[in-house]
Amino acid sequence: MVRVSLPAELSRYVVEKGSITVDGVSLTVVDAGRDHFTVSLIPTTLALTTLGTKQPGDPVNLEVDIIAKYIERMLGERSGRAGEAAE
């Protein structure tokens, strides 16, 4: 299990069993907290991606699930806050 810290503004998009991309690798979230999430990495993923070379504290690029952003936008439009929901 690998624990990854994330900025507070991204945590609302990360949910258990949801998708997140770490350094271009799409992964399934095992656990989601306010400032972190965990994922399981199988040996094939470690061998075939750069994730196998990462050390604790190394920076990573995070991309959150686009569906969560679409839902946020739609809910914002429904409540009249269309401009606030999009990033």
Side-chain angles (χ1 to χ4, degrees), residues 3-27:
R3 180 178 167 143
V4 180
S5 298
L6 77 157
E9 62 268 14
L10 294 182
S11 67
R12 69 178 179 255
Y13 302 115
V14 180
V15 296
E16 291 178 18
K17 298 183 182 171
S19 297
I20 191 155
T21 301
V22 179
D23 279 355
V25 180
S26 182
L27 302 167

Side-chain angles (χ1 to χ4, degrees), residues 11-56:
S11 67
R12 69 178 179 255
Y13 302 115
V14 180
V15 296
E16 291 178 18
K17 298 183 182 171
S19 297
I20 191 155
T21 301
V22 179
D23 279 355
V25 180
S26 182
L27 302 167
T28 300
V29 176
V30 174
D31 181 50
R34 293 181 67 160
D35 63 350
H36 72 278
F37 63 91
T38 58
V39 293
S40 290
L41 299 176
I42 63 172
T44 302
T45 301
L46 292 170
L48 298 177
T49 69
T50 61
L51 297 180
T53 64
K54 294 292 181 181
Q55 298 296 315

